[in-house]
Amino acid sequence: MLMPYIRFNGDCQEVFLWYARVFGGEIQHLAKYGDIPENPAMPMSDELKDKVMHAQIVLPNLGGMSGADSLELVPKSGNISIQAHLPKENLARKIFSELAIGGNVLGELATNPPPDDHGISGCVEDKYGVTWIVSAMRSV
């Protein structure tokens, strides 16, 4: 199984809680650096203790994602997009709209061109800089 692993700049917990709400998912695991037993020889700052070391979320009908807060700055763009192929058109429209709030619509959710015109798709960069391709079969 492949699972995207997304690095964040300190807002991993916020992002995963938001994705859980948007997709109706469930956070399976969320561990912070502060959960590690402290080593007196290598003390951690309070800021680091509050960062997410590893998180995993299960998204219904989509699989899951993992992520963490990076210890170095992560640019909010890149060469990877996540595709969410949803089972129903109305769900795709709802999720696309949610992801677009505070984000940037890169391609409106619309009917695909022939020969794939039995489906819809669109592209949106969410408010956290993650690019999503949302698709579904059109309702008849």
Side-chain angles (χ1 to χ4, degrees):
M1 167 174 54
L2 295 176
M3 180 181 291
Y5 198 96
I6 305 172
R7 298 179 313 140
F8 298 95
N9 291 315
D11 50 7
C12 182
Q13 181 173 347
E14 176 184 336
V15 175
F16 272 48
L17 289 170
W18 185 62
Y19 288 160
R21 184 184 61 75
V22 168
F23 288 98
E26 181 182 337
I27 295 177
Q28 295 287 305
H29 181 79
L30 194 139
K32 295 189 175 186
Y33 285 98
D35 296 335
I36 300 170
E38 191 142 356
N39 178 350
M42 297 175 57
M44 270 188 261
S45 69
D46 288 340
E47 180 184 5
L48 179 58
K49 288 178 185 178
D50 197 42
K51 288 189 175 195
V52 174
M53 180 177 61
H54 178 71
Q56 184 172 337
I57 186 170
V58 173
L59 306 172
N61 302 311
L62 295 173
M65 301 187 331
S66 294
D69 287 318
S70 178
L71 299 180
E72 61 275 338
L73 186 63
V74 177
K76 285 197 169 196
S77 64
N79 62 350
I80 296 177
S81 300
I82 300 172
Q83 181 171 16
H85 185 70
L86 298 153
K88 297 189 184 241
E89 181 178 354
N90 61 343
L91 181 59
R93 292 189 183 285
K94 176 189 173 295
I95 288 175
F96 187 89
S97 294
E98 289 277 337
L99 292 172
I101 296 171
N104 182 28
V105 174
L106 304 173
E108 292 290 339
L109 192 60
T111 301
N112 296 333
D116 297 320
D117 53 352
H118 55 280
I120 61 168
S121 62
C123 187
V124 61
E125 180 183 59
D126 71 26
K127 62 186 174 183
Y128 298 103
V130 177
T131 301
W132 293 87
I133 300 167
V134 177
S135 62
M137 300 304 287
R138 279 188 317 149
S139 300
V140 207

